[in-house]
Amino acid sequence: MRPERLNPLFASADTLKGVGPKLEKPLNRLGLRRVKDFIYHLPDRFVERRQVADLDEAQVGEHIIIHLTVTDHRGSSTGRGPFRVQARDAAGNMVALTYFGRASYSARKLLPTGEARWVAGKLEQYGDMLQIVHPDHVSPDGAAVMGAACEPVYPLADGLTQNRLAAMVEQALGLVPELPEWVDAGLKEKRGWPDWRDALVLAHRGGHREARDRLAYDELFASALALMLVKADNRRRRGPSLQGDGHLRDRLKLPFSLTGAQQRSIREIEGDMAQEYPMLRLLQGDVGSGKTVVALTAMLIAVEAGAQAAMLAPTEILARQHYETLTEMARGTGVEIAILTGRDKGRARQATLMGLMDGTIDIIVGTHAIFQDAVNYRNLALVVIDEQHRFGVGQRLLLTQKAKGTAHCLAMTATPIPRTLTLAQYGEMEVSKLDELPPGRKPIDTRVVAVERMDDVVAGLRRHVEGGGQAYWVCPMVHENERADLAAAEERFDALRDVLGDRVTLVHGQLPGDVKDANMQRFASGEMQVLVATTVIEVGVNVPNASLMIIEQAERFGLAQLHQLRGRVGRGAAESVCLLLRGQALSETARDRLALMRETQDGFRLAEEDLRLRGGGELLGTRQSGEHAFAVATPEQIGDLLEPAHDDARLLIERDGGLTGARGDAARTLLYLFERDYGVQLLRGG
């Protein structure tokens, strides 16, 4: 059960003064549903203000606090322009306090003529006039304004203001209890960290690096501890020992030889499956490194041992691609492979369900449909999850729990996104790497092209098509959206049809399944030469004749997506090209991503850079990228904290016998506080 002292922190947000039904939606958008969410809603930055005696001491663009006397009110004759309050400092310098819209109504009351006021705001210049637009604070009480010399700036949503949210955070901080310390005393003293409660308060005040570092350590320690509990719990479970005799694998007639990395990974997987506790292994392999044949070998081991295997894919296109590939590879082995997706209905679906129940189907490939309540297995013992970062921990468990005990689990990913990479390095998974590409894979010529050269790109596409080539054109959206300046697949499809005629087809997630499949098949067969699509083709599409990939507004995509999309070409004999069409306004991060894509095709390096650029996301939660909520800014600093957190968690589990004793109880409290659902379930289970 949750420690009683934490109950005030888990109270609903509406228990805070000033939180009513109107604020429910904006608070929910920020994830502020309970009191504890407010105390961990840390500022993005702080506004530092300097008190000045007069305007001569201040610089334009500086945030200042100054004592002014109001001399005049000046409104627009039409009522549409700005409302300006003229004010004088102690030296006689004039400044305008400028208000727009409804704010001008309250300005008259806030700043009556002839009265002195303390004003805080940003000093700007408009022509020859100094002004402060919409002052942040106005008060006759100097102490009240001086308290805003260092003011937090919080992430907001429509319907919330900084002052209102700050007041809620202050209330929440007032409810924080004193808690037992979970940080090792020696580490805490060495780093100069404050106690937990003090660290929370100071992190909202600004200028306290040690406070944020300490909170970052808390999150990393809680994550490491929870993941180690997952691993320890997994070791205690009983799983089927699967030891195949090789008779099915011997019948495989592959048109290629396995790489050394594939053979090594198969040995590692085979060893895990022979154990009596369930395997939990991540197979990392770059695009085209041959993960599918490794997965098939693992599934054949399960079938040789008299069990069933299931392969889960995130999209229907990928599921059908896997089904076709596995069926072709396993031809001649006698293994029965079937597919099940949400689109399968009627007698075909019932026949598949019966085959799974009576064991006549050895391997099932599908989407989420394969772990629904109505789907039962005779003897499921191995689950393979492709593109595992697309699935949450809960979804993975739903499928592995379809087994009589706990099924072995092999997760696969082509380009590990940051969350996956973090899980692999510091989590509960063992890792196998396919760090060799099969011979014959040609490098892809990757170029970054400005969108202003769109006409040249379309002309080049026309030449490519007239020469008998095939191409992909990927857009970030399906339809045009007036609220978002993003390229849309349907509009691009229409524009290219005007130039290239009936040689262009379209695929995106909103098309009916049969239409999508038909269009994809027409492209795969060569009937269509250009496929306009969204990222629905990111994985699972294999058309060797396609040798040109064009990604519009490439700066809108992450490194993992760009690398996966680029991997759709370079699969045949022709030289392949990937054009990254970029927009005019590029952030520094987007510029770095595109430069990396041009520089390297090494998926492992791209994954490392993705982690550096985007952060690690949540280890046990659902957020797949971004810094830990309280983590320090740079990867080097995060690594500096992660190593002791990881070691500290390991010692607490292995040396001290688990979460026992005073420090163990404190760590248990920490897990509840961070509400890592998987960790909490393990704690409840002992």
Side-chain angles (χ1 to χ4, degrees):
M1 296 295 291
R2 181 192 304 145
E4 187 175 345
R5 61 169 68 94
L6 292 184
N7 287 340
L9 298 183
F10 283 82
S12 174
D14 59 15
T15 60
L16 297 174
K17 184 179 178 180
V19 178
K22 288 185 178 179
L23 291 182
E24 183 179 355
K25 284 187 177 180
L27 290 176
N28 282 344
R29 282 197 289 271
L30 293 172
L32 304 177
R33 296 178 175 83
R34 285 176 288 192
V35 170
K36 79 172 188 65
D37 300 326
F38 288 85
I39 68 175
Y40 284 117
H41 188 68
L42 297 191
D44 279 338
R45 57 188 174 87
F46 292 87
V47 175
E48 302 278 352
R49 300 188 178 94
R50 183 169 67 94
Q51 182 188 356
V52 295
D54 57 59
L55 294 167
D56 292 331
E57 293 183 16
Q59 300 291 327
V60 172
E62 186 178 8
H63 292 271
I64 62 172
I65 297 173
I66 189 168
H67 194 239
L68 299 172
T69 300
V70 178
T71 61
D72 191 16
H73 291 170
R74 297 181 183 177
S76 168
S77 59
T78 63
R80 295 181 179 179
F83 180 80
R84 290 191 171 93
V85 177
Q86 298 295 323
R88 183 181 61 244
D89 68 12
N93 299 308
M94 300 300 296
V95 64
L97 308 178
T98 305
Y99 293 86
F100 295 90
R102 292 191 172 188
S104 62
Y105 302 144
S106 59
R108 294 178 186 273
K109 294 182 179 180
L110 278 173
L111 296 152
T113 303
E115 296 286 332
R117 292 290 185 269
W118 288 92
V119 177
K122 184 179 181 181
L123 184 64
E124 298 176 353
Q125 187 156 2
Y126 182 70
D128 295 332
M129 177 179 61
L130 292 174
Q131 68 173 359
I132 297 175
V133 179
H134 288 277
D136 300 320
H137 299 280
V138 175
S139 175
D141 181 6
V145 179
M146 292 303 173
C150 179
E151 191 169 34
V153 179
Y154 293 100
L156 292 178
D158 289 343
L160 283 172
T161 63
Q162 286 292 340
N163 289 343
R164 202 166 190 181
L165 184 54
M168 297 173 197
V169 170
E170 281 298 312
Q171 288 184 66
L173 288 172
L175 297 172
V176 176
E178 294 287 350
L179 292 178
E181 190 54 77
W182 43 74
V183 176
D184 179 77
L187 178 63
K188 182 169 171 285
E189 182 179 357
K190 177 184 176 182
R191 301 270 183 163
W193 287 341
D195 290 340
W196 171 74
R197 189 183 188 284
D198 292 340
L200 269 176
V201 173
L202 291 172
H204 287 274
R205 300 290 184 261
H208 299 283
R209 179 76 269 165
E210 294 80 6
R212 287 184 72 94
D213 282 5
R214 187 257 148 83
L215 294 177
Y217 175 86
D218 286 349
E219 180 173 5
L220 295 168
F221 174 59
S223 298
L225 187 61
L227 287 169
M228 287 185 177
L229 287 169
V230 171
K231 195 167 189 175
D233 182 74
N234 194 58
R235 295 282 180 173
R236 289 195 297 268
R237 295 175 184 268
R238 303 295 292 179
S241 174
L242 302 179
Q243 301 184 53
D245 59 11
H247 73 279
L248 294 177
R249 285 169 283 170
D250 290 342
R251 296 179 193 169
L252 278 177
K253 304 297 182 186
L254 300 175
F256 50 82
S257 299
L258 297 180
T259 65
Q262 287 173 316
Q263 295 174 26
R264 181 184 67 242
S265 296
I266 289 171
R267 287 195 299 270
E268 292 168 347
I269 293 166
E270 187 174 14
D272 281 359
M273 291 174 64
Q275 303 299 315
E276 293 187 349
Y277 55 82
M279 172 180 69
L280 190 52
R281 182 170 287 275
L282 177 67
L283 178 64
Q284 292 186 34
D286 207 347
V287 175
S289 61
K291 295 180 297 298
T292 305
V293 70
V294 174
L296 174 60
T297 303
M299 290 188 284
L300 290 180
I301 293 172
V303 177
E304 288 171 356
Q308 293 170 298
M311 178 180 258
L312 175 64
T315 66
E316 188 169 321
I317 285 180
L318 181 54
R320 295 191 181 280
Q321 178 73 47
H322 276 317
Y323 171 69
E324 293 170 5
T325 302
L326 293 174
T327 301
E328 180 62 30
M329 284 184 178
R331 194 180 305 279
T333 62
V335 172
E336 185 65 30
I337 303 176
I339 185 169
L340 182 64
T341 69
R343 184 155 40 109
D344 297 313
K345 308 290 183 185
R347 291 183 179 178
R349 176 181 173 82
Q350 289 303 315
T352 301
L353 295 180
M354 288 299 298
L356 292 173
M357 286 183 65
D358 64 23
T360 54
I361 293 176
D362 300 305
I363 297 173
I364 185 72
V365 182
T367 57
H368 300 73
I370 66 176
F371 58 76
Q372 291 175 349
D373 289 342
V375 182
N376 295 295
Y377 297 82
R378 182 174 181 273
N379 186 18
L380 178 65
L382 172 65
V383 173
V384 178
I385 302 177
D386 196 19
E387 297 303 318
Q388 72 92 28
H389 56 270
R390 305 282 191 93
F391 300 96
V393 172
Q395 290 174 313
R396 190 178 73 199
L397 287 174
L398 281 173
L399 186 51
T400 57
Q401 289 172 357
K402 288 285 184 180
K404 293 177 181 178
T406 299
H408 296 285
C409 181
L410 176 65
M412 303 195 302
T413 183
T415 303
I417 66 169
R419 176 167 172 254
T420 304
L421 190 62
T422 308
L423 277 169
Q425 290 181 345
Y426 307 108
E428 84 279 32
M429 289 183 170
E430 304 296 337
V431 182
S432 293
K433 282 190 176 183
L434 297 180
D435 47 13
E436 298 177 51
L437 287 178
R441 292 283 295 194
K442 294 184 177 180
I444 300 166
D445 182 8
T446 304
R447 309 171 193 172
V448 179
V449 181
V451 72
E452 291 85 352
R453 295 182 56 196
M454 177 68 76
D455 291 344
D456 294 338
V457 172
V458 173
L461 175 63
R462 178 199 283 272
R463 291 192 297 273
H464 180 78
V465 167
E466 289 174 349
Q470 289 180 276
Y472 300 93
W473 190 302
V474 177
C475 297
M477 291 189 71
V478 175
H479 308 287
E480 278 189 347
N481 184 340
E482 61 184 23
R483 297 177 62 185
D485 184 21
L486 294 175
E490 293 198 335
E491 283 68 29
R492 180 57 58 202
F493 168 69
D494 291 337
L496 292 178
R497 293 244 317 178
D498 289 342
V499 176
L500 301 173
D502 294 337
R503 293 178 285 192
V504 185
T505 190
L506 175 69
V507 168
H508 58 69
Q510 295 179 19
L511 288 174
D514 55 346
V515 174
K516 187 165 56 179
D517 284 352
N519 289 351
M520 191 68 244
Q521 182 55 43
R522 293 170 73 193
F523 180 70
S525 68
E527 180 185 347
M528 291 287 150
Q529 289 181 269
V530 178
L531 177 64
V532 179
T534 57
T535 55
V536 70
I537 65 155
E538 180 183 337
V539 291
V541 176
N542 184 26
V543 181
N545 189 51
S547 57
L548 174 61
M549 167 64 71
I550 300 170
I551 305 173
E552 191 167 354
Q553 286 187 304
E555 73 275 9
R556 302 280 185 166
F557 298 88
L559 271 176
Q561 279 186 314
L562 291 173
H563 185 57
Q564 286 277 20
L565 289 168
R566 177 171 60 184
R568 298 312 100 203
V569 296
R571 293 167 173 259
E575 298 290 337
S576 293
V577 175
C578 176
L579 299 182
L580 305 175
L581 284 181
R582 63 164 180 82
Q584 294 178 332
L586 286 183
S587 68
E588 187 176 342
T589 300
R591 196 179 302 276
D592 288 346
R593 280 201 302 267
L594 297 183
L596 279 164
M597 286 295 296
R598 190 175 59 238
E599 180 183 329
T600 183
Q601 294 180 44
D602 184 343
F604 288 99
R605 183 185 168 197
L606 290 173
E608 294 282 355
E609 292 298 326
D610 211 7
L611 177 64
R612 180 181 67 81
L613 291 171
R614 294 204 296 164
E618 292 178 345
L619 298 179
L620 289 171
T622 57
R623 194 163 51 90
Q624 295 191 356
S625 68
E627 287 186 4
H628 294 272
F630 334 114
V632 287
T634 68
E636 291 77 14
Q637 288 170 303
I638 293 174
D640 184 44
L641 292 176
L642 206 155
E643 186 173 351
H646 188 71
D647 290 343
D648 216 5
R650 179 177 54 79
L651 287 173
L652 191 60
I653 294 293
E654 296 177 0
R655 186 188 65 188
D656 299 338
L659 302 186
T660 58
R663 186 159 177 257
D665 289 342
R668 183 187 298 265
T669 303
L670 175 66
L671 286 174
Y672 275 105
L673 188 63
F674 279 98
E675 203 182 14
R676 302 294 190 184
D677 291 337
Y678 203 163
V680 170
Q681 289 172 10
L682 283 171
L683 292 175
R684 287 175 182 164

